Amino acid sequence: QKEVEQNSGPLSVPEGAIASLNCTYSDRVSQSFFWYRQYSGKSPELIMSIYSNGDKEDGRFTAQLNKASQYVSLLIRDSQPSDSATYLCAPQIYNQGGKLIFGQGTELSVKP
Amino acid sequence: DGGITQSPKYLFRKEGQNVTLSCEQNLNHDAMYWYRQDPGQGLRLIYYSQIVNDFQKGDIAEGYSVSREKKESFPLTVTSAQKNPTAFYLCASKEAGFQPQHFGDGTRLSIL
């Protein structure tokens, strides 16, 4: 079983819709979770951090964490073509130097 | 302005040659990391360092070496023992604690 699994893509949504990206993780990992956005050919860019159960909102982005279910998600409201990218879920491993375990990523395509 | 600088942007390696990728940060971050990304894949950890003069192997350290003589610098050497070095190499750094990692722009390494 993989430590981090993300919903397989590509995920295609129309402009203005809500995009929902999901991630499950094994119980070995930490309680800190990060979402990165990676445009094709570029390096990952941090877009959200979440540390406790519940929702965290930042602009059009909402991260949701449920530690009991070992599940973290990212919602993108009012999706724009510029949101088209690969989204990487990255839990942080506790007491191992801040290591991140990356999922394989979910490719999102927002159609005008 | 502050950031993480990776150089060169593109690098070509000949058979039997060692090559060194540079990573410099002026963010005063304690920890630094090297990842490898293959096409369509997530990031895999090569080496990481939490303090000067100390570093640990990641998941795929074979064929690579690092040094951490200064807080701001964490160079990665891809040795001739790494038989499949073609990949996108990413350097990251972070502050102490449960802080996210931030990435440089990456170096693309190819075989001549």
Side-chain angles (χ1 to χ4, degrees), chain A residues 30-32 34 36 38 40-46 49 51 88 92-105, chain B residues 9 31 33 35 37 40-45 48 50 57-59 88 90 94 97-106 108:
Chain A
S30 178
Q31 307 296 300
S32 306
F34 307 105
Y36 289 85
Q38 187 175 24
S40 180
K42 302 296 185 182
S43 64
E45 170 193 11
L46 178 72
S49 304
Y51 300 93
L88 301 168
Q92 185 176 64
I93 294 183
Y94 182 69
N95 272 352
Q96 289 194 35
K99 287 172 62 174
L100 297 177
I101 299 296
F102 284 90
Q104 78 278 14
Chain B
K9 193 167 185 173
Y33 306 81
Y35 293 90
Q37 187 175 36
Q41 303 296 313
L43 281 66
R44 292 184 291 167
L45 183 65
Y48 66 102
Q50 297 179 75
K57 293 182 179 180
D59 302 316
F88 187 36
L90 290 156
K94 66 180 284 294
F98 295 113
Q99 299 300 315
Q101 296 178 20
H102 298 274
F103 289 85
D105 289 339
R108 292 196 180 277

Side-chain angles (χ1 to χ4, degrees), chain B:
Chain B
D1 46 323
I4 303 166
T5 302
Q6 290 188 242
S7 62
K9 193 167 185 173
Y10 299 96
L11 188 58
F12 298 91
R13 196 190 88 170
K14 296 178 181 178
E15 288 288 337
Q17 185 181 43
N18 294 351
V19 292
T20 298
L21 285 59
S22 172
C23 179
E24 303 274 334
Q25 53 97 3
N26 61 3
L27 301 167
N28 199 35
H29 285 173
D30 295 300
M32 298 185 74
Y33 306 81
W34 274 105
Y35 293 90
R36 167 182 174 140
Q37 187 175 36
D38 293 284
Q41 303 296 313
L43 281 66
R44 292 184 291 167
L45 183 65
I46 304 173
Y47 269 98
Y48 66 102
S49 168
Q50 297 179 75
I51 57 172
V52 174
N53 292 323
D54 189 43
F55 48 83
Q56 287 75 40
K57 293 182 179 180
D59 302 316
I60 56 165
E62 186 174 348
Y64 300 97
S65 65
V66 293
S67 63
R68 186 90 186 274
E69 297 176 1
K70 300 185 296 183
K71 186 176 184 178
E72 59 270 23
S73 178
F74 192 39
L76 173 73
T77 296
V78 183
T79 75
S80 57
Q82 173 48 246
K83 298 306 180 187
N84 184 23
T86 297
F88 187 36
Y89 289 86
L90 290 156
C91 178
S93 69
K94 66 180 284 294
E95 296 177 83
F98 295 113
Q99 299 300 315
Q101 296 178 20
H102 298 274
F103 289 85
D105 289 339
T107 293
R108 292 196 180 277
L109 176 62
S110 302
I111 295 292
L112 276 180

